[in-house]
Amino acid sequence: MLRAFSTAATGMTAQQMMVDMIANNLANINTTGFKRSQINFQDLLYIEMQPEGTEVASGIKSPSGLEIGSGVRASSNVKIFSLGELQNTGNPLDIAIAGDGFLQVVMPNGDIKYTRDGALQINATGQLVTTNGYSIEPSISVPIDAASIRIEKDGGVNITDSSGTQSVVGNIQLARFPNPSGLSSEGDNLFAQTEASGTPTTGTPGENGFGTIQSQFLEKSNVQMVTELVNLITAQRAYEINSRAIRAGDDMLRTANNIGS
Amino acid sequence: MSEITEQVGASLDALTKEYEIITHNLANAGTAGYKRRCNAFSKVLEAQDTNTQTYTPGSVDLNSSFDFSQGGIVETGRELDFALYGKGFFVIETPNGPLYTRNGTFSTNQNGQIVDFQGRIVAGQAGAITIPNNVSLSQLFVSSDGNISAEGTAIGQFRLVDFGDNEDKLVPAGSNCYHMTEADIQPAPAENVVVKQGYQEASNVEIIDELVDLIMVSRLYEANMNFINAGKDTSSSLMSVAMG
């Protein structure tokens, strides 16, 4: 009896985690480059009360046995790296990656992190940096006399100086992973490499399966409100039903307690 | 008197087990690829001795087996989510032999091989399926027979198996997997199964059915308990007659 209580409790915990995850997805519905998470559940181990094929009479084996499961657990949550909607901003420094790949960002300690948030800016020394001020890798400096700037589909950064001469001052490179779902989320729209993600390969946008750079666009979050709300309702009802199972067990225990009274 | 108590005890025990199984089904109402367990009560053999005409009435026992019926197909849009429609299983390679699962929520590992969420290799027709480094997941296309390709280049094919009528002999191994304990039963290649990319097979637990069963179990439990109470009254009045 008490086993069933903990089984139902695992169900409630799992659903609660799902609600936590949906809340985070919904909170980031307007975050540039955000990727929604999906939670995966697995059933827990079974307690074998009577194995299949037990001999019930000489030569006769029971066709089915009795195994009682012990509930559910959230096995993992994965990021869904599907493309978010591309939104035109008109800002030449806003870039979106149409397809696979991440921008490489240099942390103050020299580590490389990865992002899909292409809202770039120019800092005081003329370097291309992310909204948080971290420079991108390879680093690209924009001369002070640049009158206009244009970022090409292949990542080339073109400037036109005050005299009207055009020149390429750098190329944006992208990185990709064998298993992007294995990247760890670091907050600030950044991802970090892990053992599970594998080692990154870098390359030119538009080649070898890398996405192209879309200038003047930002990639919106790929969270879809309707999907999340439907999942929220499902999780809430599933939570309710598991608590119902606990209540039924409680009723049964109460009946047992009342024997002879 | 003790016979009644024994029988009621056995049926309370069976009801408790059924309650535990229902709870487990309910806990897994949201688990992709989960198959509900269904219960069957059976009477324990009645023992009858023809010579002495004594008769021991049977008590009740519980058996449970998997209900392998199709679960709903839910769209997720993720490239490595696969739902199976029809009879069949994916094969997961483990050091202790193959496991079989209907949960096609896969991922890739650091080597680009398709794995399940515990990092175990998903079997292809020729070992593990490796997605080349220059192929992005969004280019991946999986046909209904499990052939994986990217931009027209074949990458591999899922190994899909079917146990036919021996499906009942599969034993749960947790984590949505089953294993076959009887060594002489070998699976055949699955023929009547369709692989759908970007979908998950939802749990086939019907919440309403489980709740109805839950109510029934708790009422039957109550009824059995009342029976013990009734038996107690009878024996105490018998005792008072005997004791004067």
Side-chain angles (χ1 to χ4, degrees):
Chain A
M1 183 69 72
L2 290 171
R3 192 161 52 215
F5 282 160
S6 63
T7 304
T10 63
M12 292 173 79
T13 317
Q15 297 306 330
Q16 197 179 323
M17 273 184 203
M18 181 153 174
V19 172
D20 289 349
M21 194 205 64
I22 295 168
N24 186 46
N25 282 348
L26 282 174
N28 284 292
I29 199 157
N30 277 325
T31 308
T32 308
F34 179 80
K35 297 295 168 199
R36 59 179 279 257
S37 296
Q38 171 185 312
I39 200 159
N40 295 314
F41 296 127
Q42 287 183 332
D43 53 353
L44 289 173
L45 287 174
Y46 286 75
I47 299 153
E48 198 170 75
M49 317 283 281
Q50 179 197 323
E52 277 88 352
T54 309
E55 204 154 272
V56 287
S58 70
I60 298 172
K61 288 182 175 173
S62 93
S64 57
L66 181 63
E67 287 120 0
I68 293 180
S70 41
V72 66
R73 74 183 180 107
S75 64
S76 61
N77 67 354
V78 283
K79 295 245 157 2
I80 312 273
F81 281 96
S82 67
L83 196 60
E85 193 187 321
L86 300 186
Q87 193 185 41
N88 191 325
T89 61
N91 179 352
L93 287 175
D94 282 345
I95 56 169
I97 304 163
D100 227 22
F102 293 89
L103 292 171
Q104 304 168 76
V105 181
V106 187
M107 294 286 104
N109 64 1
D111 284 355
I112 303 265
K113 298 271 163 72
Y114 303 89
T115 187
R116 300 263 313 172
D117 175 4
L120 300 179
Q121 289 171 16
I122 297 175
N123 71 3
T125 57
Q127 280 199 319
L128 276 186
V129 294
T130 65
T131 345
N132 289 344
Y134 305 133
S135 70
I136 59 168
E137 171 71 24
S139 83
I140 295 165
S141 302
V142 178
I144 302 162
D145 62 347
S148 73
I149 185 163
R150 199 175 77 244
I151 301 174
E152 304 290 344
K153 278 196 178 341
D154 63 356
V157 181
N158 258 309
I159 59 147
T160 312
D161 63 18
S162 43
S163 62
T165 328
Q166 290 197 4
S167 57
V168 178
V169 293
N171 283 289
I172 293 173
Q173 298 264 298
L174 297 178
R176 55 190 292 201
F177 294 87
N179 174 24
S181 302
L183 292 169
S184 81
S185 311
E186 304 283 296
D188 290 342
N189 289 348
L190 296 172
F191 298 101
Q193 181 189 343
T194 65
E195 298 254 326
S197 67
T199 46
T201 43
T202 54
T204 309
E207 289 174 11
N208 291 327
F210 282 102
T212 55
I213 301 286
Q214 299 288 334
S215 178
Q216 305 196 0
F217 280 91
L218 280 180
E219 184 185 4
K220 306 297 289 177
S221 156
N222 69 348
V223 176
Q224 290 191 335
M225 193 160 56
V226 176
T227 320
E228 298 302 326
L229 289 180
V230 168
N231 287 345
L232 187 61
I233 293 170
T234 320
Q236 195 186 355
R237 288 293 176 223
Y239 188 86
E240 216 171 303
I241 279 153
N242 279 296
S243 78
R244 179 76 189 264
I246 294 183
R247 209 156 61 221
D250 191 31
D251 281 350
M252 283 158 74
L253 279 186
R254 193 183 49 224
T255 324
N257 264 330
N258 286 342
I259 295 184
S261 61
Chain B
M1 197 67 251
S2 72
E3 247 167 44
I4 295 172
T5 325
E6 250 170 50
Q7 279 191 56
V8 172
S11 97
L12 285 175
D13 191 36
L15 285 169
T16 310
K17 284 175 188 162
E18 172 156 25
Y19 165 61
E20 285 169 353
I21 288 168
I22 294 171
T23 316
H24 182 65
N25 281 341
L26 285 176
N28 283 290
T31 306
Y34 177 78
K35 295 294 166 200
R36 69 178 279 266
R37 303 218 53 147
C38 44
N39 308 308
F41 288 99
S42 64
K43 257 175 108 179
V44 166
L45 284 177
E46 292 175 5
Q48 191 168 9
D49 195 330
T50 39
N51 294 329
T52 56
Q53 298 286 306
T54 55
Y55 169 71
T56 317
S59 57
V60 71
D61 198 10
L62 183 72
N63 276 296
S64 81
S65 55
F66 280 101
D67 167 10
F68 279 105
S69 63
Q70 179 71 43
I73 303 282
V74 181
E75 188 183 358
T76 64
R78 194 172 155 264
E79 295 90 352
L80 288 175
D81 278 352
F82 303 99
L84 292 182
Y85 187 78
K87 275 171 80 95
F89 294 91
F90 289 108
V91 182
I92 308 284
E93 301 286 3
T94 73
N96 308 321
L99 292 179
Y100 306 96
T101 185
R102 296 270 302 180
N103 179 8
T105 315
F106 298 143
S107 175
T108 46
N109 64 11
Q110 70 275 18
N111 304 320
Q113 292 166 319
I114 298 185
V115 293
D116 76 350
F117 270 99
Q118 312 231 326
R120 301 174 297 198
I121 303 281
V122 178
Q125 295 293 2
I129 304 163
T130 309
I131 297 173
N133 215 357
N134 61 351
V135 171
S136 84
L137 288 181
S138 51
Q139 293 170 314
L140 221 57
F141 175 77
V142 178
S143 66
S144 59
D145 57 354
N147 264 307
I148 306 164
S149 60
E151 314 262 295
T153 319
I155 291 175
Q157 188 181 9
F158 282 122
R159 184 165 167 239
L160 299 169
V161 297
D162 185 14
F163 284 95
D165 294 339
N166 289 323
E167 217 166 48
D168 293 347
K169 301 199 172 70
L170 287 169
V171 175
S175 306
N176 298 341
C177 292
Y178 307 93
H179 64 99
M180 180 50 85
T181 44
E182 292 183 35
D184 51 334
I185 297 175
Q186 288 299 324
E191 278 160 5
N192 299 317
V193 70
V194 170
V195 182
K196 289 179 83 75
Q197 187 188 13
Y199 293 83
Q200 282 184 346
E201 183 184 359
S203 164
N204 70 347
V205 173
E206 291 289 346
I207 286 175
I208 306 285
D209 292 352
E210 300 295 332
L211 284 180
V212 169
D213 284 354
L214 192 62
I215 292 169
M216 195 194 72
V217 165
S218 64
R219 290 292 169 237
L220 282 177
Y221 193 87
E222 216 173 306
N224 275 295
M225 284 295 178
N226 285 339
F227 210 84
I228 292 189
N229 274 340
K232 190 182 129 251
D233 291 348
T234 322
S235 60
S236 60
S237 43
L238 272 174
M239 285 293 277
S240 61
V241 171
M243 304 290 277

